[in-house]
Amino acid sequence: MIDDTKDTSTMEEGVNRVKFSEGNDGKGEDSDKTFSRRSFGLMKSQYQSVRHDISFKSKKFETKTLPMDVQRVYKKLKEDHGEEYALIWVFSMRTAVELHRGWHMPLLTSKILQQIKDKFKMRMTWNLGMVKLIFRVEDGEFELQRKIPFDYDSEYQDLFTKVATAFVNENIDIHQALIFQTEIKKGLHTAKSGRYIMRSYPGRLFIYPLQAASCALIFFDGGFSDAGVAAICGFTAGLIEW
């Protein structure tokens, strides 16, 4: 027998309908509402996460955003070896450039490039100098050169290393890895403090004088007057670069 005298509360969300019976102690309605809110919140978060996951996986890296010389090499490699091979080479070069910009440690950058080369059987070599970087692919058929100044940005080191590690471990595919790199360059996955102070002006105008003054005191055994002159020079260099 079904007792029709008992009230029911109903929650509808899309096509989902859930009914809860009240308890005899009069507290059923409050508990039902609490459970309903939690259930709706869970369903909403699950739906959003699935939607975001599907949207992210469906994205493809836009090669038209690459420099013209990289596009020429990419098109040739794509014709000869397929899209994935060509994109992995692009990813390797971009990884080396940004890691070198962030920490200027050729041995560690070269180690990561070697992992990518061994994992995906890439026919590429590189020469990482203090400023000048040389990348060769297909036994030297193509060679690209870059001059990379030191940028004092250690957060890039961490983020680009994590993306490269995730790609080598096959946690993300090549399109996702390249998209992550692009978003990192835009500051979407970095702290706001680093984005507005370390990487953009006018915040950077305060970084150069501090670095110059510190170097004058620590490395050149200068006095406070030397630090002041160095700070002025650093500020002037920042204005010129801006």
Side-chain angles (χ1 to χ4, degrees):
M1 294 293 292
I2 301 177
D3 188 357
D4 294 333
T5 61
K6 293 182 179 181
D7 297 329
T8 59
S9 59
T10 304
M11 180 195 73
E12 295 187 9
E13 176 62 28
V15 296
N16 298 293
R17 178 176 297 173
V18 185
K19 293 184 178 181
F20 307 97
S21 298
E22 286 188 344
N24 294 330
D25 56 359
K27 298 181 180 179
E29 184 176 355
D30 293 338
S31 62
D32 292 342
K33 289 181 179 179
T34 301
F35 183 78
S36 300
R37 286 194 295 268
R38 291 178 179 176
S39 300
F40 174 71
L42 179 61
M43 288 188 295
K44 184 178 179 181
S45 63
Q46 289 177 342
Y47 171 73
Q48 289 177 337
S49 62
V50 171
R51 181 178 60 185
H52 178 271
D53 188 52
I54 294 175
S55 176
F56 181 74
K57 289 183 177 180
S58 63
K59 288 183 178 180
K60 298 294 183 181
F61 176 72
E62 184 55 65
T63 57
K64 293 181 180 179
T65 60
L66 297 171
M68 293 304 300
D69 56 347
V70 178
Q71 287 192 41
R72 288 193 292 269
V73 178
Y74 163 77
K75 291 178 181 178
K76 180 60 177 177
L77 294 178
K78 182 180 178 181
E79 292 177 0
D80 296 341
H81 305 286
E83 181 186 35
E84 184 175 6
Y85 184 93
L87 288 177
I88 292 175
W89 177 79
V90 172
F91 174 79
S92 302
M93 180 176 176
R94 282 164 46 119
T95 298
V97 167
E98 298 306 328
L99 286 182
H100 197 72
R101 188 194 309 278
W103 56 10
H104 258 219
M105 299 181 70
L107 292 178
L108 296 178
T109 302
S110 182
K111 180 180 179 180
I112 293 177
L113 290 178
Q114 190 65 46
Q115 291 177 350
I116 298 175
K117 178 180 179 179
D118 296 340
K119 175 71 175 184
F120 301 100
K121 310 300 182 184
M122 302 296 296
R123 292 184 293 275
M124 63 181 186
T125 58
W126 53 87
N127 184 15
L128 307 179
M130 289 304 298
V131 176
K132 188 177 181 180
L133 311 183
I134 301 175
F135 302 95
R136 304 180 184 89
V137 65
E138 294 303 292
D139 299 325
E141 181 178 356
F142 301 99
E143 177 180 301
L144 295 182
Q145 300 183 10
R146 292 290 187 270
K147 288 185 177 181
I148 308 299
F150 191 23
D151 206 25
Y152 300 95
D153 196 342
S154 60
E155 190 173 9
Y156 268 17
Q157 160 202 336
D158 181 55
L159 292 173
F160 274 88
T161 301
K162 287 181 178 178
V163 172
T165 302
F167 176 62
V168 171
N169 293 334
E170 299 183 354
N171 295 322
I172 56 177
D173 61 32
I174 185 59
H175 287 278
Q176 293 170 341
L178 288 166
I179 290 172
F180 267 127
Q181 286 186 335
T182 302
E183 292 179 347
I184 291 171
K185 288 286 290 181
K186 294 179 179 178
L188 300 182
H189 301 289
T190 59
K192 292 183 178 180
S193 58
R195 180 179 180 183
Y196 294 109
I197 297 178
M198 291 289 294
R199 300 189 189 95
S200 61
Y201 290 98
R204 274 205 154 187
L205 288 177
F206 300 97
I207 301 298
Y208 289 145
L210 180 62
Q211 291 176 339
S214 300
C215 289
L217 289 173
I218 298 173
F219 298 107
F220 298 100
D221 196 24
F224 288 104
S225 59
D226 299 318
V229 173
I232 294 174
C233 294
F235 184 78
T236 305
L239 286 175
I240 294 174
E241 183 176 339
W242 188 14

